[in-house]
Structures are given as C-alpha cells and as structure tokens.
C-alpha cells in the first residue's frame, strides 16, 4: 500500500537551526508499522532523515514520536490503523523535550526528571544474612510501574509540562510511586513529604488523563499520581491547597448531595489566606454582574439525607 | 427520544445559561426528559481522589434510578460524562464489585443491573436524534463563522471507557456539529488538552497559562468563538480569560466560549436571551450580531 508521510524536519547546523515540513510517499506492506515506513523513507528516499529505533518490538522505548498529534511508539503502530484509506500521516518529534535533529529528542529532560525522585532503593537496614526479601504479592502490585520502558511518551504529551517545565512529570512520579510502595524501601514518609511539598510535585497534575491514554505499556502514570496523593494525605501531609480542595469537595457532597461551588473556592484558597481570598473577589463581582454567581446558600439535592446515609454506610465499612 | 436528564452541578450553579439553552434546544427538538433531581454529584474525579468507592456508590445509585425508569441518562458536562463512564465501566466488567456496591444501595431499595447508558448531549444529538433531523430544525446557516472546537479531557479520555471503539465518530463530534450548522472549523493543537480548571485553586499560574494559550492561539488562527461540551472548561476559559490574557499575553479577552446547545440554538435562530449569551464574562455581542446578520433559510 502507498503511504504519504508529512515529516517535521529540523537541522541544528543550518543558520542556527532550521525547521521545515517535508512530504514523502513510500510503498509498504499492509502489515507495516509506521516505523517500517520511516525506515523505507530513510533507506530509499532520503538518507538525511534522523530518527532513533532499536528493538522494533516495543521493548527498548527508542522510537517515541508524535503521529497525528499524539505520541506513540512507531514500532507498535500500524500504518493501516491510522491510514485505512491512504490518509496522510503527520510525524513530529516528541513534545516537551529538546529536539536534537529531525525526529530525535534529547533524553536529558527525561532523566533530569527521573533523577529528582531518587529512583533507587533506600532500605532502612542491612539484612544480617543473605538478601533483602519481599513477598510476591507486594511486588506484583508494582508491576504496572515497573513496566515503564522510559520512552518519554507520557512526558511528551503531558499538558502540565507544556506550561511548566518545573513539573516533575508523569514518568518520574510513576517511578517515585514504585519506591514508596516497595516494602523494602525505608524512605517512604520522606519521599511522600517531598513529593507533596515540592513545587512541581504531585498536586500540580491536572488529571487530564493524557499520560494514561498515550502510555504504550499500561503504566497509567496519572493513576499512580492519584495513589501518591492518597498516600501523602494518609501520611499526614495536609498542608496543600490540593488537599483542602479534595477534602472540601468530599464534604460538600456529603452534606448537600451536590457541590457547593462557593464553599469549594473558599476552602481551596484557604479562608484565612487573605491575598488568595482577595484574588477571588473580582471574579465573583464579574459573575455577579452577569447574573451567574452561584448562590452562597448551597443548593441541596432533593435526597441529600439519603446521600449522607450512603457516606455513613461506605465509611463505616472501611473502619 | 426520552432521557433521564442529569444536568450536573455547574449547569445548575456557575453556568446557568447552559441549563437554559439545553432545555430550549431540547424543547425545539421534542426531546422528552425527566430530571434526576434526587441524584448526587458524580464526584468529578476530585471526590474519587479521597475515596474511589464512595464515588462509585454515588454514581451507581444514579444509574440504578435511570434503569428503574428504563431511560438512558443525558448529561451536559464532559466531566460528568467521563466520571460516570469510568464508574459504569468498572462495575460492568466486574460483577463482584457491582454486587458489593449494590449492598450499599439496598437500604434505599435500589439495585443496579448494569444496563444504563450515559450520553452527553453532544453525542445524543448526533447518535440518537441524527444529523438530518437536527438540520431540519435550523433556520439559518452560520456561514463564515469560525468556530474552534475545545473538547478538554474527560469526553475524549480514557477512550476505552467512553466507548470510542464502538463509536469512533465521537472523536470528531464537535467538528461534525460545527460543519452541520454551516460554520468553519478552526482547528488548533490544544483542543484535547487540559483547560486548567482542575488546578485553578492549586496552581493558578499554570492554569492561567493554559487559558491564555488556548484562547489566544484559537483567536490568532481566526476563531470567532470556541465551542466546548464542558461547563468546567467554560468556567475557566470564559471566566478567567480576562485575567489570563492580561497576565500571560498582555492582551484582552476577545474569544467567546460557548456551550454546545448555544451553538445549536444560534442555528435554530434563537435569541441572545433564550440562549443566555448575555451571561458570559467575555462579551458575545459581536458573535450574536454576526449570527443575526445572516439570512434566514428559505
């Protein structure tokens, strides 16, 4: 089958860096992957096209790039799945990382993020004899995160990193979780406190689910971040706006059966945080002028007492 | 068509124009509905951060109410759609978990069997009402009006729980409606990114950058308005646009962010007031004039 590729090129040596789009048409087998098509371009059409690949079996994590706007391992993506009727494929390097040339990005950003979470076991004792042991069950729980092949795809499409390069990022946070949940690690509390307090830590995730959707190995980094938040709260870290936000939300529904938006804004900002309270005033006034300020008296759902009983029922069970 | 109608907290709170415009459009289309006034909030994913099971219990209770009525649920909010779809997905593929959830509902005499479907109005219009029927109710073509689609997160991810495998057309549902009303699609890269609302009270600097980037980029690409199926995206992209644009880009808020039923309502020839367009923070005056200047269909 014929496939038309529109590839974003970058040459760092051409007058300080030149970017352009180039189109190629190649003939590939119907079972071909996007990587096969790119290799065909490089070998038959244009030897100057730079890209990275190795295992061709979604194990090494080298061939991450954006296809039609979403980051993917191109060795795991069939041409036919994206171009059943010969539609053009747009190929770009991954996002949120420094482009070295064409489709090759530097791994520095990725590993700087990984290194921030001290990605190694820090046991609190040395076994007198033999080795550190852990139960099968406890290690099975870690498999999701241990499946990470460090391809950088979640980092590429993270919507927070797009606006804030200081965010630790999905891959590194999933890695951090792998150590907070490892029974052999002795630094759990310190790790959770650091991830909770740090600028760019667990509370900066927007829960947009991009990393979950694009990860080719099922690591589901955002789910790991949510588990880190829950663990950080359980470990007594209640000093964040994020904590107050989820606490207020939970209690608002408990009390009213639905959300009390005014209360949520006030609780999240912190009632006694004067600058942040003042910050809400102009927005409140603008909404009032347009006749859409939520009532300061919370609406209750008709059956809010039933909701309260459900809370008691579920909370009672976990005690 | 008849639905168990779940408008969600924001349509009944901070974005009342969404509720009003949705009712007006449903009436014009003859869509019947029974509002689920006894249902609780979905938890919006925030409540789930603290207690996932509590969230599932609340949502399964809502599904059971609709199941008893024999009606599919219609929502107006991407976040409601996403959170409900995820909860439904979890219990539908795990009967043991569903049975566990049902034990909490027994006191109220409810039991969920797993048959309720949840559809955002955006999908319901396309899949249940149908494009031809919908188009017959239009009284003008919004020719020359440039609309930027903004999906946000929860109506596109996780795609599996949202049924994208069986309904691949959902991925481009906003574009489908923009084309149907006769408008031009202003495509821009941020259309499935986060609007910044979930971190508004947590990291406002980042949230404002997201608002300024999305609205600024769409405007630069020629959009007259942005259309979103999510009232939370609306709250941030409309309500905080003046602040975000001033702080991040040093310019003024100039991109109206409209709800799906407002887009349809404009094509149906409804007035500014009927659609609540005067309630937006970023002025919709120019947009309304532009629509009103277009000729009525013969």
């Amino acid at each position: 089958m014929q496939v038309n590729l529109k590839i974003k090129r970058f040459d760092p040596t051409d007058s300080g860096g030149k970017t352009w789009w180039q189109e190629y048409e190649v003939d590939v087998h119907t079972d071909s992957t996007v990587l096969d098509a790119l290799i065909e371009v490089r070998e038959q059409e244009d030897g100057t096209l730079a890209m990275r690949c190795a295992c061709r079996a979604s194990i090494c994590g080298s061939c991450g790039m954006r296809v039609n706007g979403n980051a993917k391992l191109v060795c795991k993506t069939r041409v036919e799945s994206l171009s059943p009727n010969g539609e053009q494929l747009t190929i770009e390097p991954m996002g949120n990382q420094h482009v070295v040339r064409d489709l090759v990005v530097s791994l520095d950003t990725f590993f700087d993020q990984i290194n921030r979470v001290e990605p190694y076991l820090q046991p609190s004792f040395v076994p007198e004899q033999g080795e550190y042991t852990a139960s099968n069950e406890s290690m099975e729980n870690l498999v999701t995160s241990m499946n990470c092949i460090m391809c950088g795809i979640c980092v590429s499409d993270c919507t927070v990193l797009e606006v804030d390069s200081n965010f630790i990022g999905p891959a590194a946070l999933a890695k951090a979780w792998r150590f907070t949940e490892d029974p052999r690690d002795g630094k759990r509390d310190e790790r959770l406190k650091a991830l909770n307090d740090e600028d760019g830590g667990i509370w900066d995730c927007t829960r947009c689910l991009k990393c979950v959707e694009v990860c080719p190995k099922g690591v589901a980094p955002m789910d790991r971040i949510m588990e880190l938040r829950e663990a950080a709260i359980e470990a007594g870290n209640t000093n964040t706006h994020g904590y107050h936000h989820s606490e207020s939300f939970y209690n608002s529904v408990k009390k009213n059966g639905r959300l009390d938006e005014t209360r949520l804004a006030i609780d999240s900002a912190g009632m006694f945080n004067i600058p942040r309270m003042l910050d809400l005033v102009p927005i409140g006034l603008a909404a009032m002028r347009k006749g859409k300020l939520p009532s300061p008296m919370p609406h209750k759902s008709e059956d809010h007492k039933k909701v309260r009983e459900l809370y008691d029922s579920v909370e009672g069970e976990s005690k | 068509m008849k639905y168990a109608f779940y408008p969600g907290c924001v349509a009944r709170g901070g974005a009342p124009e969404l509720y009003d415009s949705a009712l007006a459009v449903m009436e014009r289309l003859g869509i019947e509905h029974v509002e689920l006034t006894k249902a609780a909030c979905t938890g919006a994913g925030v409540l789930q951060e603290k207690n996932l099971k509590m969230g599932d219990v609340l949502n399964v209770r809502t599904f059971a109410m609709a199941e008893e009525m024999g009606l599919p649920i219609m929502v107006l909010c991407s976040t409601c759609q996403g959170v409900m779809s995820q909860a439904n997905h979890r219990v539908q593929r795990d009967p043991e978990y569903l049975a566990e959830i049902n034990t909490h509902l027994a006191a109220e005499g409810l039991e969920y069997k797993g048959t309720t479907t949840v559809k955002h109005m955006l999908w319901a219009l396309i899949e249940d009402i149908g494009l031809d029927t919908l188009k017959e109710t239009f009284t003008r073509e919004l020719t020359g009006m440039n609309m930027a689609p903004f999906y946000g997160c929860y109506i596109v991810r996780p795609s599996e729980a949202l049924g994208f495998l069986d309904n691949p057309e959902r991925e481009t549902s906003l574009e489908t409606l923009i084309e149907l009303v006769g408008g031009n699609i202003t495509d821009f890269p941020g259309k499935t990114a986060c609007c910044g609302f979930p971190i508004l009270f947590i990291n406002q600097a980042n949230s404002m950058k997201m608002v300024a980037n999305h609205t600024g980029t769409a405007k630069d690409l020629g959009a007259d308005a942005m259309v979103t199926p999510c009232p939370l995206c609306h709250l941030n992209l409309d309500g905080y646009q003046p602040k975000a644009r001033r702080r991040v880009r040093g310019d003024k808020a100039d991109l109206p962010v409209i709800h799906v039923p407002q887009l349809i309502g404009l094509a149906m020839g409804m007035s500014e007031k009927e659609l609540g367009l005067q309630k937006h923070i970023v002025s919709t005056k120019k947009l309304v004039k532009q629509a009103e200047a277009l000729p009525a269909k013969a």
Side-chain angles (χ1 to χ4, degrees):
Chain A
M1 61 189 284
Q2 289 291 113
V3 55
N4 186 281
L5 304 168
K6 183 179 166 196
I7 301 177
K8 193 173 193 179
R9 306 286 311 264
F10 173 68
D11 182 354
T13 62
D14 189 333
S15 50
K18 184 179 142 198
T19 303
W20 73 102
W21 290 94
Q22 198 160 346
E23 289 188 31
Y24 301 94
E25 180 109 10
V26 285
D27 193 25
V28 293
H29 190 268
T30 46
D31 291 333
S32 294
T33 63
V34 175
L35 178 60
D36 294 330
L38 286 168
I39 290 172
E40 185 71 13
V41 169
R42 189 180 61 186
E43 289 182 354
Q44 304 300 330
E45 305 281 327
D46 188 345
T48 69
L49 179 68
M51 60 183 181
R52 190 159 46 206
C53 63
C55 79
R56 306 189 191 192
S58 60
I59 295 167
C60 74
S62 301
C63 67
M65 52 189 87
R66 275 186 174 158
V67 185
N68 294 347
N70 298 310
K72 292 174 185 302
L73 288 180
V74 284
C75 71
K76 204 188 170 198
T77 308
R78 287 179 60 211
V79 170
E80 207 183 14
S81 71
L82 293 174
S83 172
N85 305 306
E87 294 89 343
Q88 185 179 60
L89 299 181
T90 306
I91 320 261
E92 298 164 83
M94 287 197 285
N96 296 327
Q97 289 154 93
H98 172 72
V99 181
V100 178
R101 186 182 197 108
D102 294 338
L103 301 172
V104 179
V105 298
S106 160
L107 296 175
D108 290 352
T109 306
F110 182 86
F111 282 104
D112 285 349
Q113 291 171 359
I114 294 283
N115 286 332
R116 269 172 79 180
V117 304
E118 302 182 356
Y120 39 84
L121 211 54
Q122 300 182 52
S124 52
F125 65 98
V126 179
E128 283 176 20
Q129 276 189 324
E131 54 206 8
Y132 292 97
T133 54
S135 69
N136 278 342
E137 297 75 46
S138 64
M139 295 313 282
E140 263 170 23
N141 181 40
L142 302 181
V143 164
T144 43
S145 177
M146 285 160 76
N147 278 339
C148 175
I149 54 171
M150 306 213 160
C151 59
I153 278 178
C154 59
V155 169
S156 161
D157 285 13
C158 171
T159 61
V160 179
L161 285 169
E162 221 168 82
V163 297
D164 184 0
S165 58
N166 185 47
F167 181 46
I168 299 176
L173 289 172
K175 185 62 73 190
W177 175 86
R178 182 245 167 280
F179 290 101
T180 61
E181 295 309 299
D182 191 315
R184 298 165 299 172
D185 196 80
K187 284 272 171 72
R188 185 171 196 267
D189 286 352
E190 290 88 336
R191 288 181 191 272
L192 288 172
K193 186 168 175 12
L195 294 167
N196 180 77
D197 292 352
E198 203 173 337
D199 275 348
I202 48 177
W203 294 101
D204 278 341
C205 165
T206 62
R207 290 186 286 112
C208 79
L209 286 155
K210 272 258 185 181
C211 57
V212 177
E213 191 78 17
V214 295
C215 173
K217 303 302 278 188
V219 174
M222 189 197 97
D223 293 350
R224 308 288 82 80
I225 298 171
M226 293 307 112
E227 288 177 80
L228 284 170
R229 285 183 181 178
E230 212 177 323
I233 292 172
E234 271 169 25
N237 298 286
T238 56
N239 56 337
T240 57
H241 295 303
Y243 165 74
H244 291 294
H245 186 66
S246 83
E247 192 69 11
S248 172
F249 203 113
Y250 185 83
N251 290 328
S252 170
V253 178
K254 184 177 189 173
K255 200 169 151 200
N256 308 311
R258 42 165 299 180
L259 183 61
D260 174 0
E261 293 161 305
T262 314
R263 188 76 231 173
L264 183 68
I266 292 170
D267 284 348
S268 305
M271 180 68 112
F272 302 105
N273 187 336
I274 305 301
R276 283 176 68 103
M277 276 292 108
L278 287 176
D279 208 40
L280 291 171
V281 172
I283 304 294
L285 287 178
M288 199 160 71
R289 268 199 307 277
K290 301 286 187 170
K292 60 192 284 187
L293 186 69
S295 158
M297 297 304 292
H299 298 280
K300 293 181 188 245
S301 80
E302 271 179 30
D303 253 7
H304 63 276
K305 288 202 178 103
K306 289 259 164 49
V307 173
R308 185 62 185 257
E309 285 166 23
L310 281 179
Y311 265 73
D312 291 342
S313 166
V314 175
E315 285 172 353
E317 179 192 66
S318 58
K319 268 176 195 152
Chain B
M1 277 304 291
K2 189 172 178 179
Y3 295 93
F5 183 44
Y6 182 93
C9 300
V10 182
R12 302 300 275 134
E17 71 283 357
L18 170 59
Y19 184 73
D20 296 342
S21 58
L23 287 189
V25 164
M26 287 200 282
E27 198 187 326
R28 188 71 65 92
L29 286 164
I31 298 176
E32 291 180 81
H33 69 277
V34 186
E35 189 165 327
L36 291 164
T37 49
K38 291 180 177 172
C41 170
T42 65
V46 182
L47 183 150
Q48 281 81 352
E49 274 174 30
K50 192 173 153 73
N51 191 332
L52 179 67
K53 190 171 177 185
M54 188 68 244
D56 285 342
V57 168
L58 294 178
N59 286 308
V60 168
R61 176 173 172 264
T62 308
F63 302 155
M65 288 174 178
E67 196 174 55
E68 219 166 50
M69 295 155 76
L71 296 174
I73 294 176
M74 186 202 275
V75 298
L76 298 178
C77 170
S78 295
T79 306
C80 294
Q81 176 73 55
V83 172
M84 283 179 153
S85 288
Q86 288 173 50
N88 215 0
H89 193 59
R90 265 192 295 277
V91 298
Q92 280 175 339
R93 62 179 180 175
D94 188 348
E96 264 176 46
Y97 183 53
L98 174 58
E100 201 183 309
I101 301 281
N102 272 329
T103 59
H104 293 284
L105 304 180
E108 222 180 314
L110 287 170
E111 189 196 350
Y112 181 47
K113 295 182 187 68
T115 63
T116 301
T117 55
V118 183
K119 267 191 194 179
H120 192 287
M121 186 183 207
L122 170 65
W123 298 346
L125 289 176
I126 296 172
E127 294 166 21
D128 300 346
I129 307 305
L131 298 180
D132 293 337
T133 311
L134 192 54
K135 199 163 184 178
E136 278 169 24
T137 62
F138 295 169
T139 61
R140 62 179 165 225
E141 288 219 3
L142 304 182
T143 316
M145 292 179 69
N146 301 320
M147 302 284 180
F150 188 87
Y151 290 91
C153 304
Y154 291 128
I155 202 162
V156 285
R157 290 180 296 273
S159 55
E160 192 195 346
L162 289 165
F164 275 39
L165 274 180
D166 294 329
N167 302 279
E169 74 286 348
R170 287 180 179 173
E171 205 176 332
T172 49
S173 46
L174 277 176
E175 284 90 337
T176 303
L177 284 192
I178 293 169
E179 270 181 352
L180 193 76
V181 298
N184 305 321
I185 297 161
T186 307
D187 201 16
F188 76 110
K191 69 182 174 187
T192 60
C194 176
C195 69
F197 185 79
I199 50 166
L200 177 59
F201 300 123
I202 298 168
N203 187 334
Q204 202 178 83
N206 283 356
S207 184
M208 290 305 100
K209 279 188 215 164
M210 290 175 184
V211 172
N213 287 354
H214 298 320
T215 57
T217 307
K219 187 73 193 179
D220 292 345
L221 289 166
D224 297 311
M226 188 175 263
V227 191
T228 180
C230 181
L232 296 168
C233 294
H234 171 87
L235 284 183
N236 213 31
L237 296 170
D238 178 58
Y240 280 83
Q241 195 184 142
K243 183 177 184 175
R245 293 286 290 273
R246 191 175 60 240
R247 282 210 182 158
V248 182
R249 281 172 52 116
D251 59 3
K252 286 198 173 136
D254 54 6
L255 188 72
V257 181
I258 65 173
H259 305 285
V260 167
Q262 289 177 326
L263 174 76
I264 302 298
L266 281 175
M268 288 173 164
M270 289 183 186
S271 72
E272 178 189 10
K273 285 253 161 67
E274 275 175 287
L275 298 172
L277 284 159
Q278 80 285 3
K279 290 190 174 172
H280 289 218
I281 301 296
V282 178
S283 172
T284 57
K285 283 212 156 39
K286 230 170 119 182
L287 189 76
V288 172
K289 263 192 193 157
Q290 211 180 341
E292 283 173 353
L294 292 164
K297 263 193 207 168

